[in-house]
Amino acid sequence: EWYNGGWRLLVAEVRFKIPPHTQQIKFMNAAEREQLFGGAKRGGKSVALCQKIIALSMAFPGNRGLLARQNLTDLKDSTLVTFFQVCPSGLIAHHHLGDRMITFTNGSYFIYRGVGDEKELEKVKGIDLGWLAIDEPSEIDESTYLMLIAQFNWRLPSGLRPAYMALLACNPEPGWVKKRFVDVEVVDRIFIPSLAKDNPGLPDDYIPWLRSNFPADWVTKYVDGSWEISEGMVYKEFDAATHVIATMPSLKGMKIYGALDPAPATITAKVDVAIDYDFNHYIMWEYYRSERMLSDHARDIVDRIAWYMA
């Protein structure tokens, strides 16, 4: 836990070069197996990610982790730079450049990889992990993420197991990260938001300057942290509090329409809409899958139509 200016561990107290702010402390103290932090530009996402992987490495001597991003160059130019800005130099025993591995003085270590490269991904598919940290996970496939968190099986030299944790730091982007962490509440999974206003290390005029010089949609997404705004979005007035209902009304008497966009090699999408007597439109179902045969798409879509007819 964070205590009196340092992270109090099982074996030591770590004082980072950059102390965590209030939202970062919440992230530091989270114990869920899957944790998402961030949701806006300059909220301290990468700093928080690095702070926590240091803490997990020092709290469990002999721990092993994986720090990943889609592109290795982006990882080296951003997250890894932040790591050395955050980590007290006395904790690092060696940086193995050739193996892309950093070893701590207590025997813990982590490797860093760009998992968008198939060869790089193959190298980490079979290794046991004590923790996983991904910067901008919206860039990677959900299947890659699921494969990696299934590898939590690392044992410490003592024979005990560390606290397994998947740590994600992300800007608000549509896709699987939003669906997995923001749209639902699940036991052992948590989303901790952090905005630019939560970061005391920014200049006083930073946020006012963004609001004055950037498009309104950009500000809503990256400054206010809205996960509902996306590039190319048609209905920009969408608001979950207004437009998402808890219970779907009876379909009796409604007209049901479907729109299908098939593609044999990429993404097939379908959306179903029900319209009542007052012309209220209800989005009932969305299908959005890729890398499947058309026959597989058709089977799932036909099954849904049969459900309406039941």
Side-chain angles (χ1 to χ4, degrees):
E1 63 177 340
W2 184 255
Y3 174 77
N4 195 29
W7 214 66
R8 189 166 56 185
L9 310 178
L10 300 177
V11 294
E13 185 175 284
V14 176
R15 292 184 177 272
F16 305 111
K17 292 180 181 177
I18 303 175
H21 59 62
T22 301
Q23 291 302 98
Q24 290 170 336
I25 291 174
K26 291 180 182 179
F27 180 61
M28 293 287 290
N29 290 334
E32 286 78 4
R33 179 166 290 214
E34 297 181 69
Q35 305 169 21
L36 172 65
F37 183 80
K41 291 285 188 183
R42 314 260 50 99
K45 300 181 301 298
S46 296
V47 169
L49 195 70
C50 293
Q51 288 168 338
K52 188 141 190 179
I53 66 177
I54 294 166
L56 287 176
S57 298
M58 298 308 297
F60 300 98
N63 206 354
R64 175 165 76 171
L66 169 65
L67 173 61
R69 189 166 178 172
Q70 173 76 358
N71 184 280
L72 179 61
T73 300
D74 291 340
L75 180 64
K76 288 181 175 180
D77 290 346
S78 59
T79 321
L80 205 61
V81 172
T82 301
F83 171 80
F84 287 107
Q85 290 175 337
V86 170
C87 185
S89 56
L91 299 184
I92 301 173
H94 192 64
H95 184 187
H96 311 262
L97 292 172
D99 296 327
R100 295 197 296 280
M101 180 173 73
I102 294 177
T103 303
F104 294 92
T105 52
N106 68 347
S108 294
Y109 67 94
F110 70 88
I111 57 177
Y112 52 93
R113 297 288 187 270
V115 293
D117 185 318
E118 188 60 34
K119 293 181 180 179
E120 290 289 293
L121 183 59
E122 285 295 328
K123 293 177 182 179
V124 297
K125 272 187 175 179
I127 67 172
D128 291 342
L129 295 174
W131 56 262
L132 169 69
I134 304 178
D135 203 353
E136 295 301 339
S138 61
E139 298 172 349
I140 74 171
D141 293 333
E142 183 179 17
S143 59
T144 298
Y145 171 72
L146 295 176
M147 181 270 295
L148 291 173
I149 62 173
Q151 295 173 202
F152 285 146
N153 193 40
W154 181 252
R155 284 186 180 272
L156 303 173
S158 64
L160 300 176
R161 297 181 184 272
Y164 297 132
M165 294 186 190
L167 315 172
L168 288 74
C170 193
N171 284 317
E173 303 292 349
W176 69 266
V177 176
K178 176 179 181 293
K179 292 178 180 178
R180 189 172 183 87
F181 288 91
V182 182
D183 292 346
V184 297
E185 293 185 8
V186 179
V187 175
D188 219 18
R189 196 182 302 163
I190 190 172
F191 166 49
I192 300 173
S194 183
L195 309 179
K197 67 180 180 62
D198 299 317
N199 188 351
L202 296 175
D204 293 339
D205 63 346
Y206 180 77
I207 296 177
W209 181 79
L210 291 179
R211 294 192 183 280
S212 300
N213 292 276
F214 282 68
D217 291 346
W218 193 98
V219 171
T220 300
K221 181 175 183 177
Y222 291 115
V223 178
D224 299 331
S226 172
W227 290 79
E228 309 300 342
I229 300 294
S230 61
E231 185 177 354
M233 188 173 183
V234 176
Y235 188 64
K236 297 180 179 179
E237 294 79 8
F238 175 79
D239 175 64
T242 302
H243 299 109
V244 177
I245 58 177
T247 304
M248 182 68 189
S250 172
L251 299 178
K252 187 176 181 179
M254 290 194 190
K255 293 182 178 181
I256 300 175
Y257 298 86
L260 175 66
D261 182 10
T266 54
I267 296 170
T268 288
K270 187 176 190 292
V271 63
D272 291 345
V273 181
I275 304 176
D276 64 17
Y277 290 113
D278 296 321
F279 293 98
N280 295 308
H281 290 54
Y282 300 90
I283 308 300
M284 302 172 53
W285 183 61
E286 179 187 40
Y287 177 90
Y288 192 87
R289 300 286 297 275
S290 63
E291 299 180 2
R292 305 181 80 201
M293 296 180 65
L294 281 177
S295 58
D296 294 329
H297 292 302
R299 184 183 62 250
D300 288 348
I301 291 170
V302 169
D303 286 347
R304 184 67 184 191
I305 294 174
W307 181 82
Y308 293 142
M309 302 299 291

